Amino acid sequence: MTLKIGVIGAGRIGKLHAENLVTRLPGVDVLAIADVNEAAAQETAAKLHIPLASAHHQDILNHPDIEAVAICSATDTHSQMIIEAAQAGKHIFCEKPIDYDLSRIDAALNAVEKAGVKLQVGFNRRFDPNFARVREVVAAGGIGEPHVLRITSRDPGPPPVSYIKVSGGIFLDMTIHDFDMARFLIDSPVTEVFAAGAVLVDPEIGAAGDVDTAVVTLRFENGAIGVIDNSRKAVYGYDQRVEVFGAKGSITAENNTPYRTVLSNVEGVHHPLPLHFFLERYNDSYIAEMLVFIRAIANNETPPVTGIDGRIPVVMGLAATKSLRENRPVKLSEIG
Amino acid sequence: MTLKIGVIGAGRIGKLHAENLVTRLPGVDVLAIADVNEAAAQETAAKLHIPLASAHHQDILNHPDIEAVAICSATDTHSQMIIEAAQAGKHIFCEKPIDYDLSRIDAALNAVEKAGVKLQVGFNRRFDPNFARVREVVAAGGIGEPHVLRITSRDPGPPPVSYIKVSGGIFLDMTIHDFDMARFLIDSPVTEVFAAGAVLVDPEIGAAGDVDTAVVTLRFENGAIGVIDNSRKAVYGYDQRVEVFGAKGSITAENNTPYRTVLSNVEGVHHPLPLHFFLERYNDSYIAEMLVFIRAIANNETPPVTGIDGRIPVVMGLAATKSLRENRPVKLSEIG
Amino acid sequence: MTLKIGVIGAGRIGKLHAENLVTRLPGVDVLAIADVNEAAAQETAAKLHIPLASAHHQDILNHPDIEAVAICSATDTHSQMIIEAAQAGKHIFCEKPIDYDLSRIDAALNAVEKAGVKLQVGFNRRFDPNFARVREVVAAGGIGEPHVLRITSRDPGPPPVSYIKVSGGIFLDMTIHDFDMARFLIDSPVTEVFAAGAVLVDPEIGAAGDVDTAVVTLRFENGAIGVIDNSRKAVYGYDQRVEVFGAKGSITAENNTPYRTVLSNVEGVHHPLPLHFFLERYNDSYIAEMLVFIRAIANNETPPVTGIDGRIPVVMGLAATKSLRENRPVKLSEIG
Amino acid sequence: MTLKIGVIGAGRIGKLHAENLVTRLPGVDVLAIADVNEAAAQETAAKLHIPLASAHHQDILNHPDIEAVAICSATDTHSQMIIEAAQAGKHIFCEKPIDYDLSRIDAALNAVEKAGVKLQVGFNRRFDPNFARVREVVAAGGIGEPHVLRITSRDPGPPPVSYIKVSGGIFLDMTIHDFDMARFLIDSPVTEVFAAGAVLVDPEIGAAGDVDTAVVTLRFENGAIGVIDNSRKAVYGYDQRVEVFGAKGSITAENNTPYRTVLSNVEGVHHPLPLHFFLERYNDSYIAEMLVFIRAIANNETPPVTGIDGRIPVVMGLAATKSLRENRPVKLSEIG
């Protein structure tokens, strides 16, 4: 009854998932970890007492006891890894995004379907307690029919420009999480997006062909309107809030803080800054999403974030990119 | 040194200004009130001990002791009243909007300029303590260069559809305040707007050719991006919030409540609803704007909300209306 | 139908009430103001267009048209003024406290009863919207039977030591408001108090025989327990909060602020300081208490804060003073 | 370098510590668990893969590889267990309280001192992020010299009356945590306490000779005054707040909630209830205190909550009990 799993990728997110799987999650054994950087795989394996470390992900895919893999390798390998894992009959947890190329995504989803394995995509924010509660209230009709969705999503600081150059752009790299959040919170397809963007944080981001500040308007098929505002740099920390406003009220999720203290002095009444970045803020969500994946396999159920849930935010990101370039609203149906 | 003033219009807003002028504001005497509904003028005059009540605004314009007028009559008379008052040499406080027709606005502004009288337009929200504080912090550089502006402006309930039909549409009737707020908070011209709208509150509003829910994106010349979300109906009351996010931080204004109590019981931790509507929420701002008008005349200074400040939000409203119809971003320069 | 009133005392609180009566309150005419400092009376009379200014309060008491007086003179004159005003057949609004001597209070209350005039004591905080709301919820059973009452009452800074020397001590000068608040919020008599005090703000206050920091425990007849904490100096401003905790929940009143803005920057999330002191914080309550006084006379009803409501907090203050000296709980029945 | 530990007691708190030690804490191996209820020990051992389960705590004390024990057995066995463990040369983590009898505490502390082993007492709340932050700010001088300490500590519901009868009374069972918190936050000895109590939650608690509602005043040697308010039943959940007010400001710790959402509807603006009880609220603190214990042994340092820190809150509880009975302030020096 214990799920045997292998982790592909021993970078930041691979180590995080490996550690959660080993130390925080019941019902699972990590049998192997692989990374093209073999030293990284070995270091994590040693620290977490994982039996096998390898430079070759095939060692995981060929491992007869391993039933599932967590794909945490570089983004441009995801779709290929999914195809190989599916062909090897392994269930798949894959970090987002599957790919930035729709045809490669479709090839991966086809391989999954053909193999009949389970696939869960790592949109972890759905498992954050704040956002899960918002979804719960909205889905239960607690605010009536949704009319307006607002998502504020700002990073504490931009990644290196070298990363931005290969990131696919802000809408595929950063807003993609918010696109998924919009789909999670509003039970109606997005049909059209309009993106406004600017370079206000760092001119080098502009020189790299990207924007660092954006406001994206979403139209849902049911008439609701969404708006996402993004910034690559909020000096006060990681700003992650949503509001769903509807016919019977509204529900908001505020930022989390490391403690709940209030200091009053001659200068003001001071509250703590938000939890600094995703490793702190979304720590619980990484554990929760993996728990759900393990249970879905144990119970032979469809995981809650499927291949199509991995594909649509990419379509939205491509549409937003096109909208920004052409300064006009773009229908998702234009993208494919 | 006491300013002698006459009030034109004894409807809801006329009565409000008359009462503030008589009971709350120093340095001013109300000598007359006029309304085409003479009984309304007489009732207010009697209650507030105003010496003269008339059915004819000319009785105010011809009054030799009256130095200034507060124009609170029907919107479609504002521009004509301004012209007549300017020609009579009276200083002018005029409720928003001046007009929905730019040529009529221009005629009024020309008359004001020619006569050399002072004109203040009634964008009262600038004088609300919350928004005034936001502006103060932004103007002082407290958040650095502004990057994103968010305005949430939701009414507790829609006006009658009969009113909506003659209102000029949501962008000229309701969002116009938010357009002014955007100009007040961000010290850079708006160059382009994109409006998304929907009929989600009441299908009769749609039948009247208007929308009741809207999200409007603004581009400022300095690169900042603004977004306004409006609804004609927030069941929890009047929702009036702003956020300015910039290079060094953000500042938000939250809703005001009638008291600051917190009730905790088995069902939750409950805070009060916002102040219900504009008469409660913006009560102080109506007094403050009039105080500023009185002082501007006493000190022979330019009032803080001038004719051009009355004109530009109308341009923005017309651009948003066009944007909604054509589903594309519209430059203000397209409007005039 | 308009109440004719005279104001005795043109110091800070006298001027405040005079201005409210003239500019903010309907149904009342201020015919005279008196102060032993005649210039102060004249200045206020001139500013507010009050017909008569005098150095002699008798000019008010003898005024045939005056029906009511607002006693705002020095505390040590209150009880004598009440007696004289009652004998002159005037209704009486008297600032708190009536006196620090119970026999003088009793003489004043007897005179009021004999004359059959109305007396309202100036415990204005009952009319503050926050505390009025707490009382309303408690009285309506919203938190069930009250179990624990907490009052935090801290001034932004101490008065001059010269004032403290003649103030009657912290419990009669400052805590007296909180004793009244305890009686207002909990519908059961206080039977015993225990006071702990310390000199932590300013040693000169200690040298004057007083304390500047205190925690007072109250026992109510119905079993509920109250606790008041006082400080003469909260550097962050006027701290005025209460909490009533009961069988079905709790209700708290938080501090008021001049605006509701939140500034987030690299150092934290900053809210405004409380309104600085009583003139700002309790401004509305001064108007509201006077409105209630005017209406009580107009409707021939008993005012809501009567002579006995003025007497009991003095008994509590004397009991707390004795408790502090003897370091033991003191029953109110020991005081008289 | 890995600490070998045994857990004595497999009840609620023993299971909690065992699980944290096994699944959440690095640098430690749990070699055995013992409980007089052998089945309970076996169940936990099986679930957590602990090698040895026993009905006899001596099997742990005699275990040659075990270096430390976590004493989680019934309160009345703590002091005896400490003595035996000390004599066996094991380092000791002991749940609070050590005992309700001072002579038995002293015997235990003597045994610890004689054996030279380390002892940490389980006042876990010191390790809660909120309270740790308050302490940090106070200790750093962030609010200046402390003047007033307020602790609100209310349980969501009372334990069974059968438990209350053997609990030592509210001050030794419940307030003892708050006594420790007072010592943690204010760096000056408590010299005197005054306790007011009432039976307002359940008359059966009164019939058992205890109170269920209490307000305790503390005097610190440096002049600061503390006040603790307790209730056995807050219907809205576990209410755990503190405030330290001082010369330069105040710092408060608010309640934690499972998520940070705000629902606005026609009835109000609703926030979530506090985390329900100590297992949820103090979950992190149980892990943190054990981590500190493990590290203290590894680094051969004195643990942060020592034997004397376990003794003094018992003295305070006995003083409060005496104060309640005699209705007078009681000096700690009267107790011993």
Side-chain angles (χ1 to χ4, degrees):
Chain A
M1 268 173 40
T2 299
L3 180 71
K4 309 290 190 299
I5 199 166
V7 177
I8 299 174
R12 184 169 60 178
I13 196 73
K15 280 194 283 192
L16 181 148
H17 283 306
E19 183 166 341
N20 286 340
L21 285 163
V22 170
T23 67
R24 303 296 297 276
L25 286 157
V28 63
D29 275 349
V30 181
L31 296 194
I33 184 164
D35 197 294
V36 289
N37 175 351
E38 191 168 4
Q42 284 171 338
E43 183 187 354
T44 299
K47 185 181 162 202
L48 296 170
H49 308 291
I50 297 172
L52 174 64
S54 170
H56 308 289
H57 69 276
Q58 294 88 345
D59 290 344
I60 287 178
L61 299 183
N62 296 333
H63 196 302
D65 294 339
I66 288 180
E67 302 156 89
V69 294
I71 300 175
C72 310
S73 50
T75 293
D76 60 2
T77 68
H78 286 179
S79 58
Q80 180 62 27
M81 292 284 178
I82 289 174
I83 291 169
E84 292 183 31
Q87 287 169 348
K90 312 298 189 192
H91 299 297
I92 303 161
F93 174 92
C94 184
E95 266 305 311
K96 69 95 208 169
I98 297 176
D99 204 292
Y100 296 137
D101 181 296
L102 293 180
S103 64
R104 290 164 62 93
I105 293 175
D106 290 339
L109 301 194
N110 285 339
V112 167
E113 193 177 4
K114 195 168 168 190
V117 296
K118 296 181 194 305
L119 168 64
Q120 181 174 325
V121 178
F123 281 120
N124 60 293
R125 294 186 192 176
R126 295 184 176 213
F127 301 90
D128 173 76
N130 290 5
F131 301 131
R133 174 63 179 170
V134 170
R135 150 83 171 212
E136 181 182 38
V137 169
V138 172
I143 59 148
E145 281 300 309
H147 292 179
V148 176
L149 166 70
R150 297 199 322 171
I151 298 176
T152 289
S153 176
R154 301 169 187 158
D155 283 354
V161 172
S162 58
Y163 171 84
I164 282 180
K165 283 177 181 166
V166 300
S167 70
I170 193 170
F171 299 123
L172 284 164
D173 179 56
M174 182 174 169
T175 322
I176 194 168
H177 273 296
D178 309 308
F179 291 140
D180 181 63
M181 185 57 59
R183 296 188 66 243
F184 180 56
L185 296 179
I186 306 292
D187 190 24
S188 173
V190 170
T191 57
E192 189 177 293
V193 306
F194 175 75
V199 181
L200 298 169
V201 171
D202 184 352
E204 287 197 41
I205 293 175
D210 204 356
V211 294
D212 51 37
T213 305
V215 170
V216 183
T217 305
L218 311 176
R219 291 173 193 266
F220 295 88
E221 197 172 85
N222 67 2
I225 308 171
V227 62
I228 298 165
D229 72 276
N230 289 137
S231 171
R232 284 288 193 184
K233 184 171 184 183
V235 295
Y236 52 82
Y238 200 37
D239 195 351
Q240 298 282 296
R241 293 172 286 152
V242 308
E243 176 179 7
V244 190
F245 168 78
K248 294 183 182 170
S250 77
I251 183 159
T252 65
E254 307 295 328
N255 284 316
N256 286 356
T257 57
Y259 29 75
R260 288 204 173 179
T261 56
V262 183
L263 173 67
S264 299
N265 59 24
V266 74
E267 284 156 3
V269 176
H270 314 285
H271 294 242
L273 289 175
L275 287 168
H276 183 65
F277 209 2
F278 64 96
L279 292 180
E280 296 85 7
R281 164 61 187 267
Y282 290 123
N283 187 35
D284 288 346
S285 74
Y286 288 117
I287 296 166
E289 69 174 351
M290 207 55 93
L291 184 64
V292 161
F293 176 66
I294 294 165
R295 285 188 181 156
I297 294 171
N299 300 330
N300 194 23
E301 292 167 353
T302 303
V305 195
T306 62
I308 193 69
D309 295 321
R311 185 187 197 276
I312 294 174
V314 175
V315 174
M316 294 170 76
L318 294 169
T321 305
K322 188 180 186 69
S323 172
L324 182 72
R325 281 196 197 125
E326 303 182 4
N327 193 28
R328 66 170 181 91
V330 170
K331 291 198 192 314
L332 266 58
S333 57
E334 298 181 46
I335 304 300
Chain B
M1 269 172 42
T2 300
L3 179 71
K4 309 291 188 300
I5 199 167
V7 176
I8 299 174
R12 185 169 60 180
I13 196 74
K15 281 193 285 191
L16 181 147
H17 282 306
E19 185 167 338
N20 285 341
L21 286 164
V22 170
T23 66
R24 302 296 297 276
L25 286 158
V28 63
D29 275 348
V30 181
L31 297 194
I33 184 163
D35 198 295
V36 291
N37 175 350
E38 190 170 4
Q42 285 171 338
E43 185 188 353
T44 298
K47 186 180 161 201
L48 296 170
H49 308 292
I50 297 172
L52 175 65
S54 170
H56 308 290
H57 68 278
Q58 294 89 345
D59 290 343
I60 287 178
L61 300 184
N62 296 333
H63 195 302
D65 296 339
I66 287 179
E67 301 157 89
V69 295
I71 299 175
C72 309
S73 50
T75 293
D76 59 2
T77 69
H78 285 180
S79 59
Q80 180 61 25
M81 293 284 178
I82 289 174
I83 292 170
E84 292 183 30
Q87 288 169 347
K90 311 298 190 193
H91 298 299
I92 302 161
F93 175 92
C94 183
E95 267 304 314
K96 69 94 208 168
I98 298 176
D99 205 290
Y100 296 138
D101 181 296
L102 292 179
S103 63
R104 289 163 63 94
I105 293 176
D106 290 339
L109 300 193
N110 286 338
V112 166
E113 192 177 5
K114 195 169 169 188
V117 296
K118 296 182 193 306
L119 168 64
Q120 181 174 324
V121 177
F123 280 120
N124 60 293
R125 292 185 193 177
R126 294 185 175 212
F127 301 89
D128 174 76
N130 289 5
F131 301 130
R133 174 64 179 168
V134 170
R135 149 84 170 211
E136 181 182 37
V137 169
V138 172
I143 60 150
E145 281 300 309
H147 292 180
V148 177
L149 166 71
R150 299 198 319 171
I151 297 176
T152 289
S153 176
R154 300 167 187 157
D155 285 352
V161 172
S162 58
Y163 171 84
I164 283 179
K165 284 176 180 166
V166 299
S167 71
I170 192 169
F171 300 122
L172 285 164
D173 179 57
M174 182 174 168
T175 322
I176 194 167
H177 273 296
D178 309 310
F179 290 141
D180 180 63
M181 184 58 59
R183 296 187 66 242
F184 179 58
L185 296 178
I186 306 293
D187 190 24
S188 173
V190 170
T191 56
E192 190 177 292
V193 305
F194 174 75
V199 180
L200 298 168
V201 171
D202 183 352
E204 286 196 41
I205 294 174
D210 204 357
V211 296
D212 50 37
T213 304
V215 170
V216 183
T217 304
L218 311 176
R219 290 174 194 267
F220 295 88
E221 197 173 84
N222 66 0
I225 308 171
V227 62
I228 298 164
D229 72 276
N230 290 134
S231 172
R232 286 287 194 183
K233 185 173 183 182
V235 296
Y236 52 82
Y238 200 38
D239 195 350
Q240 298 282 295
R241 292 172 287 153
V242 308
E243 176 179 8
V244 190
F245 168 78
K248 295 185 181 169
S250 76
I251 182 158
T252 64
E254 306 297 326
N255 284 316
N256 287 354
T257 57
Y259 30 75
R260 287 204 172 180
T261 56
V262 183
L263 174 68
S264 299
N265 60 25
V266 74
E267 285 157 1
V269 176
H270 314 286
H271 293 243
L273 289 174
L275 286 169
H276 183 64
F277 209 2
F278 63 97
L279 293 180
E280 296 85 8
R281 165 61 188 268
Y282 289 123
N283 187 36
D284 289 346
S285 74
Y286 289 117
I287 296 167
E289 69 174 349
M290 207 54 92
L291 184 64
V292 161
F293 176 64
I294 294 165
R295 287 187 179 157
I297 295 171
N299 300 330
N300 194 22
E301 293 167 354
T302 303
V305 195
T306 62
I308 194 69
D309 294 322
R311 186 185 196 276
I312 295 174
V314 176
V315 174
M316 295 170 75
L318 294 169
T321 305
K322 189 178 184 73
S323 172
L324 182 72
R325 280 197 197 123
E326 303 182 3
N327 194 27
R328 66 170 181 92
V330 170
K331 292 197 192 313
L332 265 57
S333 57
E334 297 182 45
I335 303 299
Chain C
M1 268 172 41
T2 300
L3 180 70
K4 309 289 189 300
I5 200 167
V7 176
I8 298 175
R12 184 169 60 180
I13 195 75
K15 280 192 286 192
L16 181 148
H17 283 306
E19 184 166 340
N20 286 340
L21 286 164
V22 169
T23 67
R24 305 294 299 274
L25 287 157
V28 64
D29 276 349
V30 182
L31 298 193
I33 184 163
D35 197 294
V36 291
N37 176 349
E38 190 170 2
Q42 284 170 338
E43 185 187 352
T44 299
K47 185 181 163 201
L48 297 170
H49 307 293
I50 298 172
L52 175 65
S54 170
H56 308 289
H57 69 277
Q58 293 89 347
D59 289 344
I60 287 177
L61 300 183
N62 294 333
H63 196 302
D65 294 340
I66 288 180
E67 301 157 89
V69 295
I71 299 175
C72 308
S73 50
T75 293
D76 59 3
T77 68
H78 285 181
S79 59
Q80 180 61 26
M81 292 285 177
I82 289 174
I83 291 170
E84 291 183 31
Q87 287 170 348
K90 312 297 190 194
H91 298 298
I92 302 162
F93 176 91
C94 184
E95 265 306 310
K96 70 96 209 167
I98 297 177
D99 204 291
Y100 296 138
D101 181 297
L102 292 180
S103 64
R104 289 165 62 94
I105 293 175
D106 290 340
L109 301 193
N110 285 338
V112 166
E113 191 176 6
K114 197 168 167 189
V117 295
K118 295 182 194 307
L119 169 64
Q120 181 173 325
V121 178
F123 281 122
N124 60 292
R125 293 185 193 176
R126 293 185 176 212
F127 301 90
D128 173 77
N130 289 5
F131 301 132
R133 175 62 180 170
V134 171
R135 150 82 169 214
E136 181 183 37
V137 168
V138 171
I143 59 148
E145 281 299 309
H147 291 179
V148 176
L149 167 69
R150 299 199 321 172
I151 298 176
T152 288
S153 176
R154 300 168 187 158
D155 283 353
V161 173
S162 58
Y163 172 84
I164 283 180
K165 283 176 179 166
V166 299
S167 71
I170 193 170
F171 299 123
L172 285 163
D173 179 58
M174 183 175 167
T175 323
I176 194 167
H177 273 296
D178 309 310
F179 290 142
D180 180 63
M181 185 57 60
R183 297 187 66 243
F184 179 57
L185 296 179
I186 306 293
D187 190 23
S188 172
V190 170
T191 57
E192 191 176 291
V193 305
F194 174 75
V199 180
L200 298 168
V201 171
D202 184 353
E204 286 196 42
I205 293 175
D210 203 358
V211 296
D212 52 36
T213 305
V215 170
V216 183
T217 305
L218 311 176
R219 292 174 193 267
F220 294 87
E221 200 173 83
N222 66 1
I225 308 172
V227 62
I228 298 164
D229 72 275
N230 289 135
S231 171
R232 285 286 194 184
K233 185 172 182 182
V235 296
Y236 53 82
Y238 201 38
D239 195 352
Q240 299 281 296
R241 291 171 288 151
V242 308
E243 176 179 6
V244 190
F245 168 77
K248 294 184 183 168
S250 78
I251 182 159
T252 64
E254 306 297 326
N255 284 316
N256 287 355
T257 56
Y259 30 75
R260 289 206 170 178
T261 56
V262 183
L263 174 68
S264 299
N265 59 26
V266 74
E267 284 157 0
V269 176
H270 314 284
H271 294 243
L273 290 174
L275 286 168
H276 183 65
F277 209 3
F278 63 97
L279 292 180
E280 295 86 9
R281 165 61 188 267
Y282 289 124
N283 187 36
D284 288 345
S285 74
Y286 289 116
I287 296 166
E289 70 175 349
M290 207 55 91
L291 184 64
V292 161
F293 176 65
I294 293 164
R295 285 189 181 156
I297 294 172
N299 300 332
N300 194 23
E301 293 168 353
T302 303
V305 195
T306 63
I308 193 69
D309 294 321
R311 185 186 196 276
I312 293 173
V314 176
V315 174
M316 294 170 75
L318 294 168
T321 306
K322 189 180 184 71
S323 172
L324 182 72
R325 281 196 194 123
E326 303 182 3
N327 194 26
R328 65 169 181 89
V330 170
K331 290 196 192 317
L332 265 58
S333 58
E334 297 182 47
I335 304 299
Chain D
M1 268 173 39
T2 299
L3 179 71
K4 308 289 190 301
I5 200 167
V7 177
I8 300 175
R12 185 170 57 179
I13 196 74
K15 280 193 286 192
L16 181 149
H17 283 305
E19 183 166 339
N20 285 340
L21 285 163
V22 170
T23 66
R24 303 294 298 275
L25 286 156
V28 63
D29 273 350
V30 182
L31 297 193
I33 184 164
D35 197 293
V36 291
N37 176 349
E38 190 170 2
Q42 285 170 339
E43 184 188 354
T44 298
K47 184 181 162 201
L48 297 169
H49 308 291
I50 297 172
L52 174 64
S54 170
H56 308 289
H57 69 277
Q58 295 88 346
D59 290 343
I60 286 178
L61 299 183
N62 295 334
H63 196 303
D65 296 338
I66 287 180
E67 301 155 271
V69 294
I71 300 176
C72 309
S73 52
T75 293
D76 60 1
T77 69
H78 286 180
S79 57
Q80 181 59 28
M81 292 286 179
I82 288 174
I83 291 169
E84 292 184 32
Q87 288 170 347
K90 311 297 190 195
H91 299 298
I92 302 161
F93 175 92
C94 183
E95 265 305 312
K96 68 94 210 169
I98 298 176
D99 205 292
Y100 296 137
D101 180 297
L102 292 180
S103 63
R104 290 164 61 93
I105 293 175
D106 289 340
L109 300 194
N110 286 338
V112 166
E113 193 177 3
K114 196 170 168 187
V117 295
K118 296 184 192 304
L119 169 63
Q120 180 174 324
V121 179
F123 281 120
N124 60 293
R125 293 186 193 177
R126 294 184 177 213
F127 302 90
D128 173 76
N130 289 5
F131 301 133
R133 173 65 180 168
V134 171
R135 150 83 171 213
E136 181 182 37
V137 169
V138 172
I143 59 148
E145 282 299 309
H147 291 179
V148 176
L149 167 70
R150 299 197 321 169
I151 298 175
T152 288
S153 176
R154 301 168 187 157
D155 283 354
V161 172
S162 59
Y163 171 84
I164 282 180
K165 283 177 179 164
V166 299
S167 71
I170 192 170
F171 300 122
L172 285 163
D173 178 57
M174 182 175 168
T175 323
I176 194 166
H177 273 295
D178 308 310
F179 291 141
D180 180 63
M181 185 56 60
R183 296 187 66 245
F184 179 57
L185 296 178
I186 306 292
D187 189 25
S188 173
V190 171
T191 57
E192 191 176 291
V193 305
F194 174 74
V199 181
L200 298 168
V201 172
D202 183 352
E204 285 196 43
I205 293 175
D210 202 357
V211 295
D212 52 37
T213 305
V215 171
V216 183
T217 305
L218 310 176
R219 290 174 194 268
F220 295 88
E221 199 173 81
N222 65 1
I225 309 170
V227 61
I228 298 163
D229 73 276
N230 289 136
S231 171
R232 285 288 194 184
K233 185 173 183 181
V235 296
Y236 53 83
Y238 200 37
D239 194 352
Q240 299 282 295
R241 291 172 288 153
V242 309
E243 176 180 6
V244 189
F245 168 78
K248 294 184 182 169
S250 77
I251 184 160
T252 64
E254 307 296 327
N255 284 316
N256 288 355
T257 56
Y259 30 77
R260 288 204 171 179
T261 55
V262 183
L263 175 66
S264 299
N265 59 25
V266 74
E267 284 156 1
V269 176
H270 313 285
H271 294 242
L273 288 174
L275 287 168
H276 183 64
F277 209 2
F278 64 96
L279 293 180
E280 296 87 7
R281 164 61 187 267
Y282 289 123
N283 187 37
D284 288 345
S285 73
Y286 289 117
I287 296 165
E289 69 174 352
M290 207 55 92
L291 184 64
V292 161
F293 176 66
I294 294 164
R295 287 188 180 158
I297 295 170
N299 300 332
N300 193 23
E301 293 168 351
T302 304
V305 195
T306 62
I308 193 69
D309 294 322
R311 185 187 196 275
I312 294 175
V314 176
V315 174
M316 294 171 75
L318 294 169
T321 306
K322 189 179 185 71
S323 172
L324 182 72
R325 281 196 196 124
E326 303 181 5
N327 193 28
R328 66 170 181 91
V330 170
K331 291 197 191 314
L332 264 57
S333 58
E334 297 181 47
I335 303 300

